[in-house]
Amino acid sequence: GSIFSMIPGKWELFVLLIGILILFFVDYVEDRGQDWVESVLRQRLMIRWGIYLFLVFSIILCGVYGNDYQQKAFIYFNF
């Protein structure tokens, strides 16, 4: 393949940006001496459930299958 085939599309860049923002948030909270889990648990109910739903749906949408999923045989199927 060409090196140009390695350039990520819009969806991959969006997922990358969200991931980097989450990492910056966790680093910022822990740099202030707080546990990021405790800071999420202290939020109001609606904000806390918004965070939970965002995490669940991001796992569902971007999880195992990704953007260009193609079903292939399991690697150890022939052994």
Side-chain angles (χ1 to χ4, degrees), residues 3-76:
I3 193 164
F4 295 110
S5 65
M6 296 174 51
I7 297 174
K10 291 179 185 178
W11 175 250
E12 288 87 5
L13 288 175
F14 176 71
V15 171
L16 180 66
L17 179 65
I18 296 297
I20 290 173
L21 289 175
I22 290 171
L23 286 176
F24 278 137
F25 170 74
V26 170
D27 184 54
Y28 174 73
V29 169
E30 289 188 354
D31 191 42
R32 292 177 52 198
Q34 300 173 352
D35 184 25
W36 69 273
V37 176
E38 289 295 325
S39 64
V40 169
L41 292 176
R42 279 183 296 198
Q43 299 297 321
R44 289 182 289 163
L45 184 67
M46 296 299 290
I47 294 174
R48 195 170 54 227
W49 273 97
I51 294 170
Y52 296 156
L53 290 175
F54 171 76
L55 292 174
V56 167
F57 283 120
S58 65
I59 290 171
I60 290 171
L61 292 176
C62 303
V64 181
Y65 300 111
N67 192 22
D68 56 351
Y69 175 72
Q70 296 176 0
Q71 186 175 3
K72 297 178 182 162
F74 185 59
I75 191 169
Y76 297 115

